[in-house]
Amino acid sequence: MMKKTALLLTLFVVLCSGIAAAASWPQPWEHGPLAVSADGRFLQHRDGTPFFWLADTGWLLPERLNRDEAAYYLQRCAEAGYNVVQVQVLNDLPAWNVYGQSSDTEAYWQHMDYIVGTARRHGIYIGMVAVWGSQVKNGRMTEALARDYGTFLARRYRECPNIVWMMGGDIQGDIHPEVWTAMATAIKAEDKDHLMTYHPRGRYTSARWWAGAAWIDFHTFQSGHRRYGQRTAKDTTYPIPDGTEEDNWQYVDSTWARQPLKPVLDAEPIYEDIPQGLHDGSEPRWQAADVRRYAYWSVFAGSCGHTYGHNSIMQFYRPGLAPAYFARIPWYDALDAPGFQQMHHLKDLLLRLPYFDRRPAQHLVLDNGTRYERLAATCGTDYLLVYNCTGREMHLDLNGISGERKRLWWMDAATGRLTYIGEQASRTVTLRPYVGGDGVLIAIDAEKDYL
């Protein structure tokens, strides 16, 4: 892949100008580059505008889609409210794109340039996974090569405002850590403006290895694809207790147990329409309600955003390709999957409220349950949000937010529809959702007008 690194470095040109010039979508970077909030919990723009990371998983976008298809996919992402797409730049060494162009050639990188520029036109960041972890594990990406490659990537894309660097790629950080350090520091030496994180192996958080690394700006975890109790004998270093496999909120807590405090999010939860546990096509498949639950559980525990994934979209499966993980729906049809279309309701709700006030609020849930009966709560100074995935009765302490009286709503998580419940005096109350299904109980100081 890197045979022509020296040549490509000399060919660097300023990118993302022509195709982005006629942008019609909001351009979030007009508020300045992304940064970490002063309290270390959130992402924001340099001018203080909040940034809620809502990503789709588009791992094989450079390899599987041509330019027309990539433009269509990115437009659909923008229409569905996504502001990030996570992409593998190199799935192999060398990598090959849909045009049969090798990553040893300039043509390969021009296709990648097109994707970055088109994403910019649609107001979307590219979460750029520089190389998939398998290429580090198998020794093809060496420390020296990583340093050269990091320099090449940074010089090529540092002028593009819509880049977030992602080291790792489904790999533990203690497998050749010198390679990741070399690549990350080489990028940071050339690019001071873009944030960087690390995508770990399933059921790990990047903070396990990189909590003190100077190059990492925020953490991600991969909560993985297993259901409760779905553990194999190979899991000898399972980092969370047996029987809690779906409790992705635990990874927020375990990440924040390490210092310094940095923002965190679930960058690979369960994928819609993928078999539970991945490797047996006869297993039940994760559904839209499941991906919603993972999103609300993680974010209400304190995550600064969330990543959605669909089995067919992440690999851009279509008839004629060999499907991984028993994919069965063409990627272009999966863009109409309910979970893909529903994620934006969470982002929309949080951005209507005082954003940087938000904290986990499990102490305001009385007599809480476990597993699916667990209510996930978050609050600001004058609002409380409680996610309920079963529609069960809720016993809540409304004294934890300001105001002698609160206005209450129920938000349907599938549709975003708000149903006004009424006013309630500030006290402990017992409530049952106004409508069925999973959703969010919203309590706001009656003196405020957020909704």
Side-chain angles (χ1 to χ4, degrees):
M1 190 286 300
M2 293 302 297
K3 295 177 183 176
K4 301 185 179 180
T5 298
L7 174 62
L8 294 178
L9 287 173
T10 64
L11 293 175
F12 168 73
V13 294
V14 177
L15 307 174
C16 310
S17 53
I19 193 168
S24 58
W25 292 88
Q27 305 286 283
W29 33 86
E30 291 180 354
H31 296 282
L34 292 178
V36 173
S37 64
D39 65 2
R41 294 173 179 268
F42 301 99
L43 299 179
Q44 63 178 56
H45 293 278
R46 184 170 290 172
D47 69 357
T49 302
F51 179 77
F52 183 87
W53 173 292
L54 185 62
D56 184 38
T57 306
W59 292 137
L60 296 185
L61 171 57
E63 289 87 355
R64 290 278 175 88
L65 298 194
N66 64 35
R67 294 188 178 188
D68 289 341
E69 292 167 333
Y72 174 72
Y73 164 68
L74 291 166
Q75 178 175 328
R76 291 295 302 272
C77 285
E79 290 170 350
Y82 295 97
N83 52 21
V84 183
V85 172
Q86 295 174 193
V87 170
Q88 295 178 17
V89 179
L90 299 177
N91 187 46
D92 204 348
L93 289 177
W96 299 82
N97 65 25
V98 69
Y99 296 108
Q101 297 160 337
S102 163
S103 53
D104 288 338
T105 68
E106 171 66 9
Y108 182 94
W109 294 99
Q110 289 177 358
H111 184 52
M112 189 69 216
D113 298 347
Y114 175 85
I115 290 168
V116 173
T118 304
R120 178 180 178 179
R121 182 165 59 88
H122 288 87
I124 292 174
Y125 287 86
I126 294 294
M128 189 172 279
V129 181
V131 61
W132 203 239
S134 59
Q135 302 308 298
V136 173
K137 188 173 184 178
N138 66 20
R140 291 181 184 173
M141 179 61 74
T142 64
E143 181 178 359
L145 190 57
R147 189 175 295 109
D148 289 344
Y149 177 50
T151 300
F152 162 71
L153 276 183
R155 290 181 179 174
R156 190 166 192 110
Y157 295 111
R158 63 188 173 189
E159 301 301 324
C160 300
N162 59 323
I163 297 294
V164 178
W165 299 111
M166 301 184 79
M167 300 296 99
D170 197 35
I171 188 172
Q172 300 96 310
D174 54 0
I175 296 178
H176 298 303
E178 73 283 357
V179 174
W180 300 116
T181 298
M183 190 182 303
T185 53
I187 291 173
K188 286 284 190 175
E190 298 288 342
D191 179 7
K192 310 297 185 184
D193 285 335
H194 295 113
L195 296 185
M196 182 177 286
T197 189
Y198 185 95
H199 177 271
R201 180 76 172 169
R203 302 170 304 284
Y204 287 101
T205 168
S206 60
R208 175 169 179 157
W209 312 285
W210 306 113
W215 51 263
I216 196 163
D217 299 299
F218 66 99
H219 292 296
T220 76
F221 57 90
Q222 181 188 161
S223 58
H225 305 274
R226 296 181 183 175
R227 65 172 178 266
Y228 288 125
Q230 199 174 39
R231 176 180 175 175
T232 71
K234 296 179 181 179
D235 291 323
T236 57
T237 60
Y238 205 42
I240 63 175
D242 289 356
T244 66
E245 289 80 2
E246 296 182 46
D247 291 342
N248 68 337
W249 51 268
Q250 289 199 48
Y251 294 94
V252 181
D253 296 343
S254 64
T255 299
W256 279 354
R258 301 175 186 268
Q259 295 297 319
L261 186 71
K262 293 183 179 181
V264 62
L265 62 91
D266 193 345
E268 188 175 334
I270 56 174
Y271 291 157
E272 190 169 10
D273 199 47
I274 207 167
Q276 295 176 7
L278 296 181
H279 304 297
D280 183 349
S282 67
E283 290 281 4
R285 297 189 179 228
W286 296 112
Q287 303 298 314
D290 300 307
V291 299
R292 294 196 302 268
R293 171 168 53 88
Y294 268 59
Y296 285 88
W297 274 1
S298 174
V299 170
F300 282 17
S303 288
C304 65
H306 191 71
T307 298
Y308 163 86
H310 191 287
N311 189 18
S312 295
I313 298 172
M314 66 92 174
Q315 59 186 290
F316 294 98
Y317 167 73
R318 75 180 83 207
L321 294 176
Y325 305 113
F326 311 96
R328 57 188 180 179
I329 304 169
W331 69 267
Y332 38 82
D333 289 341
L335 295 173
D336 294 318
F340 180 86
Q341 295 293 332
Q342 293 163 357
M343 290 296 104
H344 72 93
H345 298 308
L346 171 58
K347 180 184 75 169
D348 295 345
L349 173 62
L350 294 180
L351 291 176
R352 296 177 71 176
L353 301 168
Y355 190 78
F356 298 109
D357 285 354
R358 183 167 62 86
R359 296 292 186 273
Q362 293 306 121
H363 63 290
L364 300 181
V365 177
L366 310 177
D367 302 321
N368 207 349
T370 60
R371 293 194 173 188
Y372 306 125
E373 295 299 316
R374 182 180 186 270
L375 303 175
T378 186
C379 74
T381 303
D382 47 24
Y383 65 90
L384 169 66
L385 309 176
V386 182
Y387 176 73
N388 184 333
C389 70
T390 65
R392 77 174 185 88
E393 187 174 85
M394 297 177 282
H395 191 200
L396 308 174
D397 181 4
L398 298 184
N399 292 301
I401 61 174
S402 67
E404 295 183 2
R405 299 191 65 80
K406 278 77 176 180
R407 291 195 180 100
L408 305 182
W409 290 262
W410 176 255
M411 189 190 85
D412 186 304
T415 66
R417 183 177 62 249
L418 291 171
T419 301
Y420 183 60
I421 298 174
E423 282 200 18
Q424 174 66 58
S426 184
R427 58 183 178 85
T428 59
V429 297
T430 299
L431 300 164
R432 185 172 287 278
Y434 190 70
V435 292
D438 67 313
V440 181
L441 187 284
I442 305 169
I444 299 178
D445 185 333
E447 298 298 319
K448 306 299 181 179
D449 186 23
Y450 299 137
L451 299 183

